[in-house]
Amino acid sequence: MTTQLKIGMPAGSLASASRGGNLIDLLSAAGFRTSGYDKGGPTKFTGTSLLFGWDGRPQEFGAQLEIGELDVAIAGDDWIKERILEMRIEHGVEMSLDRVLTLNRGEVQLVGIVADSSYKTTEDFLRAVAPGKKLLVCASEMPYLALDWLQRKLAAVGLGDRFRAHSVQKYKTPPKIKEGILVYESWGKTEAKVKNGAVDVGLEISQTGGAIKQYGLTIVETVMRSQTSIYTTAGVQKDPEKRELLEMFLVNLHGAVNAESKVMLLFNVPNSAADQVDAYLRSNALFGEEPTMNRGREYTEYNIQVDAADASKPVALVRYTLAKLGATSINTVPVTSSIPGIRAVRGR
């Protein structure tokens, strides 16, 4: 196969070995080792010629997917939605992008923030403030998500027609409209703009909300929750070779993500105690279809997978219970990939 799958590799925290959930290690666990990615590029997939790494910004990946410049992109849900909205609002283009896998990392929230703590919801704020404004001014690093949010909320409180006009523009450039919603594209520190009265409201990207609290601001709404995901287009699905490569890429990535909280327990049980152990494993759903067993003359060897993140069945408690039931040589082995089957990525 000479076809390559062109993959958008996001610059920023995900490229760091110590930040953003470490995409490098995740790809490696999936069988896709890289070189150059952690150094700013160019990214190369060293273990296979079937994948091509295209270094870029997740802010741009949505548009690149739409025109076929990329087949797959690793990007935050927020940036993909931002580009979809921009293309719809500014260019009348409907983009059709498919989120085919979430990676359980890079989680952020987009929150609406105001300076006055008396407002508890976006609707409260708009009912009180918007009627006295010709221009409702907002700042955000994601201006089209902010515009979409305010348009929906203004319509909900009966002010949609009055604020029908809108303009998205660079921070503090002369307003292009006299009435409506003015959204300034911010390059960060949205909190300062809201606190100092430069704008009426902000849409801020937040992980913990710590900076918002330090500025003494109030969150009136969590507008969106976002994480890093895999996106593609229908065009890739129509190409048989690229569809095959995409499925290969996804099933192995799914296996790496699925394995992140799992360990294997290997242990021996006297045949005389096997029925008790089987009953314990079954009643606690500590295997998939059935436990892997190798029965010998005096002992049965077991192999089970345990979710270390399941607080209801801590690994330590499982090992202790097995030991009480007569298990010996209880070994705990890390899992780097756990693929439940091809069904995990088909039919999404």
Short mmCIF file of all heavy atoms in Angstrom, two decimals, residues 107-153:
data_model
loop_
_atom_site.label_atom_id
_atom_site.label_comp_id
_atom_site.label_asym_id
_atom_site.label_seq_id
_atom_site.Cartn_x
_atom_site.Cartn_y
_atom_site.Cartn_z
N GLU A 107 -8.50 18.38 28.63
CA GLU A 107 -9.84 18.85 28.96
C GLU A 107 -9.84 20.31 29.43
O GLU A 107 -9.03 20.70 30.27
CB GLU A 107 -10.45 17.96 30.05
CG GLU A 107 -10.71 16.53 29.59
CD GLU A 107 -11.37 15.68 30.66
OE1 GLU A 107 -11.66 16.22 31.75
OE2 GLU A 107 -11.58 14.49 30.41
N VAL A 108 -10.75 21.09 28.87
CA VAL A 108 -10.95 22.48 29.27
C VAL A 108 -12.45 22.78 29.26
O VAL A 108 -13.24 22.02 28.71
CB VAL A 108 -10.23 23.48 28.33
CG1 VAL A 108 -8.72 23.29 28.39
CG2 VAL A 108 -10.74 23.37 26.90
N GLN A 109 -12.80 23.91 29.88
CA GLN A 109 -14.17 24.40 29.83
C GLN A 109 -14.17 25.80 29.23
O GLN A 109 -13.25 26.59 29.47
CB GLN A 109 -14.76 24.47 31.24
CG GLN A 109 -14.81 23.15 31.97
CD GLN A 109 -15.35 23.31 33.37
OE1 GLN A 109 -16.55 23.41 33.59
NE2 GLN A 109 -14.45 23.36 34.33
N LEU A 110 -15.19 26.11 28.46
CA LEU A 110 -15.41 27.46 27.99
C LEU A 110 -16.52 28.05 28.85
O LEU A 110 -17.64 27.53 28.86
CB LEU A 110 -15.81 27.49 26.51
CG LEU A 110 -14.65 27.50 25.51
CD1 LEU A 110 -13.88 26.18 25.57
CD2 LEU A 110 -15.14 27.74 24.11
N VAL A 111 -16.18 29.11 29.58
CA VAL A 111 -17.13 29.66 30.56
C VAL A 111 -17.38 31.13 30.28
O VAL A 111 -16.48 31.89 29.88
CB VAL A 111 -16.61 29.47 32.00
CG1 VAL A 111 -16.53 28.00 32.35
CG2 VAL A 111 -15.25 30.13 32.20
N GLY A 112 -18.63 31.52 30.48
CA GLY A 112 -18.99 32.93 30.40
C GLY A 112 -18.66 33.62 31.70
O GLY A 112 -18.99 33.12 32.78
N ILE A 113 -17.99 34.78 31.62
CA ILE A 113 -17.57 35.49 32.83
C ILE A 113 -18.02 36.95 32.80
O ILE A 113 -18.02 37.59 31.75
CB ILE A 113 -16.03 35.42 33.04
CG1 ILE A 113 -15.29 35.94 31.80
CG2 ILE A 113 -15.61 34.00 33.36
CD1 ILE A 113 -13.77 36.03 32.00
N VAL A 114 -18.41 37.45 33.97
CA VAL A 114 -18.79 38.86 34.13
C VAL A 114 -18.15 39.39 35.41
O VAL A 114 -17.69 38.62 36.26
CB VAL A 114 -20.33 39.02 34.20
CG1 VAL A 114 -20.98 38.53 32.92
CG2 VAL A 114 -20.90 38.28 35.40
N ALA A 115 -18.16 40.71 35.54
CA ALA A 115 -17.50 41.33 36.70
C ALA A 115 -18.42 41.42 37.91
O ALA A 115 -17.94 41.45 39.05
CB ALA A 115 -17.01 42.73 36.31
N ASP A 116 -19.71 41.45 37.69
CA ASP A 116 -20.67 41.66 38.78
C ASP A 116 -21.13 40.31 39.33
O ASP A 116 -21.76 39.52 38.63
CB ASP A 116 -21.87 42.45 38.25
CG ASP A 116 -22.79 42.94 39.36
OD1 ASP A 116 -22.82 42.30 40.43
OD2 ASP A 116 -23.52 43.93 39.14
N SER A 117 -20.84 40.06 40.57
CA SER A 117 -21.17 38.78 41.20
C SER A 117 -22.66 38.60 41.48
O SER A 117 -23.09 37.51 41.86
CB SER A 117 -20.39 38.61 42.50
OG SER A 117 -20.75 39.62 43.43
N SER A 118 -23.46 39.63 41.28
CA SER A 118 -24.89 39.51 41.54
C SER A 118 -25.61 38.70 40.46
O SER A 118 -26.72 38.24 40.66
CB SER A 118 -25.54 40.89 41.66
OG SER A 118 -25.50 41.58 40.42
N TYR A 119 -24.95 38.52 39.31
CA TYR A 119 -25.56 37.75 38.22
C TYR A 119 -25.15 36.29 38.36
O TYR A 119 -23.96 35.96 38.41
CB TYR A 119 -25.14 38.30 36.86
CG TYR A 119 -25.49 39.76 36.67
CD1 TYR A 119 -24.50 40.72 36.41
CD2 TYR A 119 -26.80 40.19 36.77
CE1 TYR A 119 -24.82 42.05 36.25
CE2 TYR A 119 -27.14 41.53 36.61
CZ TYR A 119 -26.14 42.45 36.36
OH TYR A 119 -26.46 43.78 36.20
N LYS A 120 -26.13 35.42 38.38
CA LYS A 120 -25.86 33.99 38.57
C LYS A 120 -25.93 33.20 37.27
O LYS A 120 -25.37 32.11 37.18
CB LYS A 120 -26.86 33.40 39.57
CG LYS A 120 -26.86 34.12 40.91
CD LYS A 120 -25.47 34.14 41.55
CE LYS A 120 -25.49 34.86 42.89
NZ LYS A 120 -24.12 35.04 43.46
N THR A 121 -26.65 33.73 36.27
CA THR A 121 -26.78 33.06 34.99
C THR A 121 -26.59 34.05 33.86
O THR A 121 -26.69 35.28 34.06
CB THR A 121 -28.17 32.40 34.83
OG1 THR A 121 -29.17 33.42 34.74
CG2 THR A 121 -28.48 31.47 36.00
N THR A 122 -26.34 33.54 32.67
CA THR A 122 -26.22 34.41 31.50
C THR A 122 -27.51 35.17 31.27
O THR A 122 -27.50 36.37 30.94
CB THR A 122 -25.90 33.57 30.25
OG1 THR A 122 -24.72 32.80 30.48
CG2 THR A 122 -25.69 34.46 29.03
N GLU A 123 -28.64 34.49 31.44
CA GLU A 123 -29.93 35.14 31.23
C GLU A 123 -30.13 36.30 32.20
O GLU A 123 -30.62 37.38 31.80
CB GLU A 123 -31.06 34.12 31.39
CG GLU A 123 -31.14 33.09 30.27
CD GLU A 123 -30.21 31.90 30.46
OE1 GLU A 123 -29.40 31.93 31.42
OE2 GLU A 123 -30.28 30.96 29.66
N ASP A 124 -29.76 36.12 33.47
CA ASP A 124 -29.86 37.21 34.45
C ASP A 124 -29.06 38.42 33.99
O ASP A 124 -29.53 39.56 34.04
CB ASP A 124 -29.34 36.75 35.82
CG ASP A 124 -30.25 35.75 36.49
OD1 ASP A 124 -31.42 35.62 36.06
OD2 ASP A 124 -29.79 35.08 37.44
N PHE A 125 -27.83 38.16 33.56
CA PHE A 125 -26.94 39.23 33.11
C PHE A 125 -27.53 39.96 31.90
O PHE A 125 -27.58 41.20 31.87
CB PHE A 125 -25.58 38.65 32.76
CG PHE A 125 -24.68 39.59 32.02
CD1 PHE A 125 -24.03 40.63 32.68
CD2 PHE A 125 -24.50 39.46 30.64
CE1 PHE A 125 -23.21 41.51 31.98
CE2 PHE A 125 -23.69 40.33 29.94
CZ PHE A 125 -23.04 41.36 30.62
N LEU A 126 -28.00 39.22 30.91
CA LEU A 126 -28.50 39.85 29.69
C LEU A 126 -29.78 40.63 29.95
O LEU A 126 -29.96 41.73 29.39
CB LEU A 126 -28.73 38.79 28.62
CG LEU A 126 -27.46 38.12 28.06
CD1 LEU A 126 -27.83 37.01 27.09
CD2 LEU A 126 -26.55 39.14 27.39
N ARG A 127 -30.67 40.10 30.76
CA ARG A 127 -31.91 40.83 31.06
C ARG A 127 -31.62 42.17 31.72
O ARG A 127 -32.33 43.16 31.48
CB ARG A 127 -32.81 39.99 31.96
CG ARG A 127 -33.44 38.79 31.27
CD ARG A 127 -34.51 38.18 32.16
NE ARG A 127 -35.01 36.92 31.62
CZ ARG A 127 -34.64 35.73 32.02
NH1 ARG A 127 -33.74 35.62 33.02
NH2 ARG A 127 -35.12 34.63 31.47
N ALA A 128 -30.60 42.20 32.57
CA ALA A 128 -30.29 43.43 33.32
C ALA A 128 -29.46 44.42 32.51
O ALA A 128 -29.66 45.63 32.61
CB ALA A 128 -29.55 43.06 34.60
N VAL A 129 -28.52 43.91 31.71
CA VAL A 129 -27.53 44.77 31.06
C VAL A 129 -27.87 45.12 29.62
O VAL A 129 -27.74 46.27 29.18
CB VAL A 129 -26.12 44.12 31.14
CG1 VAL A 129 -25.10 44.92 30.33
CG2 VAL A 129 -25.68 44.00 32.59
N ALA A 130 -28.31 44.13 28.84
CA ALA A 130 -28.47 44.33 27.40
C ALA A 130 -29.47 45.42 27.02
O ALA A 130 -29.22 46.18 26.08
CB ALA A 130 -28.84 43.00 26.74
N PRO A 131 -30.63 45.55 27.70
CA PRO A 131 -31.59 46.58 27.29
C PRO A 131 -31.01 48.00 27.30
O PRO A 131 -31.48 48.87 26.56
CB PRO A 131 -32.72 46.43 28.32
CG PRO A 131 -32.66 45.00 28.72
CD PRO A 131 -31.19 44.69 28.76
N GLY A 132 -30.03 48.26 28.13
CA GLY A 132 -29.43 49.60 28.19
C GLY A 132 -28.24 49.78 27.27
O GLY A 132 -27.55 50.82 27.35
N LYS A 133 -27.98 48.82 26.39
CA LYS A 133 -26.81 48.88 25.52
C LYS A 133 -27.23 48.91 24.05
O LYS A 133 -28.17 48.24 23.64
CB LYS A 133 -25.93 47.63 25.73
CG LYS A 133 -25.37 47.47 27.13
CD LYS A 133 -24.07 48.22 27.26
CE LYS A 133 -23.43 47.95 28.61
NZ LYS A 133 -22.14 48.67 28.73
N LYS A 134 -26.51 49.70 23.27
CA LYS A 134 -26.65 49.60 21.82
C LYS A 134 -25.71 48.52 21.30
O LYS A 134 -26.06 47.73 20.42
CB LYS A 134 -26.34 50.93 21.15
CG LYS A 134 -27.41 51.99 21.34
CD LYS A 134 -27.11 53.22 20.51
CE LYS A 134 -28.26 54.23 20.62
NZ LYS A 134 -27.99 55.43 19.78
N LEU A 135 -24.50 48.49 21.87
CA LEU A 135 -23.52 47.47 21.54
C LEU A 135 -23.25 46.61 22.78
O LEU A 135 -22.88 47.14 23.82
CB LEU A 135 -22.20 48.09 21.07
CG LEU A 135 -22.04 48.47 19.61
CD1 LEU A 135 -20.68 49.12 19.39
CD2 LEU A 135 -22.20 47.27 18.69
N LEU A 136 -23.45 45.32 22.65
CA LEU A 136 -23.06 44.40 23.70
C LEU A 136 -21.67 43.90 23.31
O LEU A 136 -21.50 43.26 22.27
CB LEU A 136 -24.04 43.24 23.80
CG LEU A 136 -23.79 42.25 24.94
CD1 LEU A 136 -23.98 42.92 26.30
CD2 LEU A 136 -24.72 41.04 24.81
N VAL A 137 -20.68 44.19 24.16
CA VAL A 137 -19.28 43.94 23.78
C VAL A 137 -18.73 42.75 24.56
O VAL A 137 -18.85 42.68 25.78
CB VAL A 137 -18.42 45.19 24.04
CG1 VAL A 137 -16.98 44.95 23.56
CG2 VAL A 137 -19.01 46.41 23.34
N CYS A 138 -18.12 41.83 23.83
CA CYS A 138 -17.57 40.61 24.40
C CYS A 138 -16.14 40.43 23.92
O CYS A 138 -15.76 40.89 22.84
CB CYS A 138 -18.43 39.42 23.97
SG CYS A 138 -17.84 37.79 24.53
N ALA A 139 -15.33 39.74 24.73
CA ALA A 139 -13.97 39.38 24.32
C ALA A 139 -13.79 37.88 24.51
O ALA A 139 -14.27 37.31 25.48
CB ALA A 139 -12.93 40.14 25.13
N SER A 140 -13.08 37.25 23.55
CA SER A 140 -12.83 35.83 23.66
C SER A 140 -11.73 35.41 22.69
O SER A 140 -11.59 36.00 21.61
CB SER A 140 -14.10 35.03 23.36
OG SER A 140 -13.84 33.64 23.45
N GLU A 141 -10.98 34.38 23.08
CA GLU A 141 -10.04 33.77 22.15
C GLU A 141 -10.77 32.94 21.11
O GLU A 141 -10.18 32.56 20.09
CB GLU A 141 -9.04 32.89 22.91
CG GLU A 141 -8.11 33.65 23.82
CD GLU A 141 -7.18 32.73 24.59
OE1 GLU A 141 -6.33 32.09 23.96
OE2 GLU A 141 -7.33 32.65 25.82
N MET A 142 -12.02 32.64 21.38
CA MET A 142 -12.86 31.89 20.43
C MET A 142 -14.09 32.73 20.11
O MET A 142 -15.18 32.48 20.63
CB MET A 142 -13.23 30.53 21.02
CG MET A 142 -12.02 29.66 21.27
SD MET A 142 -12.45 27.97 21.64
CE MET A 142 -10.80 27.24 21.67
N PRO A 143 -13.92 33.73 19.26
CA PRO A 143 -14.98 34.73 19.08
C PRO A 143 -16.27 34.19 18.48
O PRO A 143 -17.35 34.68 18.79
CB PRO A 143 -14.33 35.76 18.15
CG PRO A 143 -13.22 35.02 17.46
CD PRO A 143 -12.72 34.04 18.47
N TYR A 144 -16.19 33.18 17.62
CA TYR A 144 -17.41 32.69 16.99
C TYR A 144 -18.20 31.80 17.95
O TYR A 144 -19.44 31.78 17.89
CB TYR A 144 -17.08 31.98 15.67
CG TYR A 144 -16.60 32.97 14.64
CD1 TYR A 144 -15.23 33.17 14.44
CD2 TYR A 144 -17.49 33.76 13.93
CE1 TYR A 144 -14.79 34.12 13.53
CE2 TYR A 144 -17.05 34.71 13.03
CZ TYR A 144 -15.69 34.89 12.83
OH TYR A 144 -15.25 35.84 11.95
N LEU A 145 -17.52 31.08 18.82
CA LEU A 145 -18.23 30.38 19.88
C LEU A 145 -18.90 31.39 20.81
O LEU A 145 -20.03 31.17 21.28
CB LEU A 145 -17.26 29.49 20.66
CG LEU A 145 -16.96 28.13 20.03
CD1 LEU A 145 -15.73 27.50 20.67
CD2 LEU A 145 -18.14 27.19 20.16
N ALA A 146 -18.22 32.50 21.08
CA ALA A 146 -18.80 33.54 21.93
C ALA A 146 -20.02 34.17 21.26
O ALA A 146 -21.07 34.38 21.90
CB ALA A 146 -17.75 34.62 22.23
N LEU A 147 -19.91 34.46 19.97
CA LEU A 147 -21.03 35.05 19.23
C LEU A 147 -22.22 34.11 19.22
O LEU A 147 -23.37 34.51 19.49
CB LEU A 147 -20.59 35.37 17.81
CG LEU A 147 -21.68 35.88 16.86
CD1 LEU A 147 -22.30 37.17 17.37
CD2 LEU A 147 -21.12 36.07 15.45
N ASP A 148 -21.98 32.84 18.92
CA ASP A 148 -23.06 31.85 18.89
C ASP A 148 -23.74 31.75 20.25
O ASP A 148 -24.98 31.68 20.33
CB ASP A 148 -22.48 30.50 18.49
CG ASP A 148 -23.51 29.39 18.50
OD1 ASP A 148 -24.41 29.40 17.64
OD2 ASP A 148 -23.42 28.51 19.38
N TRP A 149 -22.95 31.74 21.30
CA TRP A 149 -23.48 31.67 22.67
C TRP A 149 -24.38 32.86 22.96
O TRP A 149 -25.52 32.70 23.43
CB TRP A 149 -22.32 31.60 23.65
CG TRP A 149 -22.64 31.89 25.08
CD1 TRP A 149 -23.59 31.30 25.84
CD2 TRP A 149 -22.00 32.85 25.93
NE1 TRP A 149 -23.58 31.82 27.12
CE2 TRP A 149 -22.61 32.77 27.18
CE3 TRP A 149 -20.95 33.75 25.73
CZ2 TRP A 149 -22.21 33.59 28.25
CZ3 TRP A 149 -20.55 34.55 26.78
CH2 TRP A 149 -21.18 34.47 28.03
N LEU A 150 -23.90 34.07 22.69
CA LEU A 150 -24.68 35.28 23.00
C LEU A 150 -25.93 35.38 22.13
O LEU A 150 -26.99 35.80 22.61
CB LEU A 150 -23.81 36.52 22.83
CG LEU A 150 -22.71 36.69 23.89
CD1 LEU A 150 -21.82 37.88 23.55
CD2 LEU A 150 -23.32 36.87 25.29
N GLN A 151 -25.82 35.00 20.87
CA GLN A 151 -27.01 35.03 20.01
C GLN A 151 -28.09 34.10 20.54
O GLN A 151 -29.27 34.47 20.57
CB GLN A 151 -26.63 34.63 18.58
CG GLN A 151 -25.88 35.70 17.81
CD GLN A 151 -25.47 35.24 16.42
OE1 GLN A 151 -25.18 34.06 16.20
NE2 GLN A 151 -25.44 36.16 15.47
N ARG A 152 -27.70 32.90 20.96
CA ARG A 152 -28.69 31.95 21.49
C ARG A 152 -29.33 32.46 22.77
O ARG A 152 -30.54 32.33 22.97
CB ARG A 152 -28.02 30.59 21.71
CG ARG A 152 -27.69 29.83 20.43
CD ARG A 152 -27.18 28.44 20.72
NE ARG A 152 -25.82 28.43 21.28
CZ ARG A 152 -25.50 28.21 22.52
NH1 ARG A 152 -26.47 27.98 23.43
NH2 ARG A 152 -24.25 28.21 22.93
N LYS A 153 -28.51 33.03 23.65
CA LYS A 153 -29.03 33.48 24.94
C LYS A 153 -29.87 34.75 24.80
O LYS A 153 -30.87 34.92 25.52
CB LYS A 153 -27.86 33.71 25.90
CG LYS A 153 -27.16 32.42 26.30
CD LYS A 153 -28.12 31.48 27.01
CE LYS A 153 -27.47 30.16 27.38
NZ LYS A 153 -28.37 29.30 28.18
#
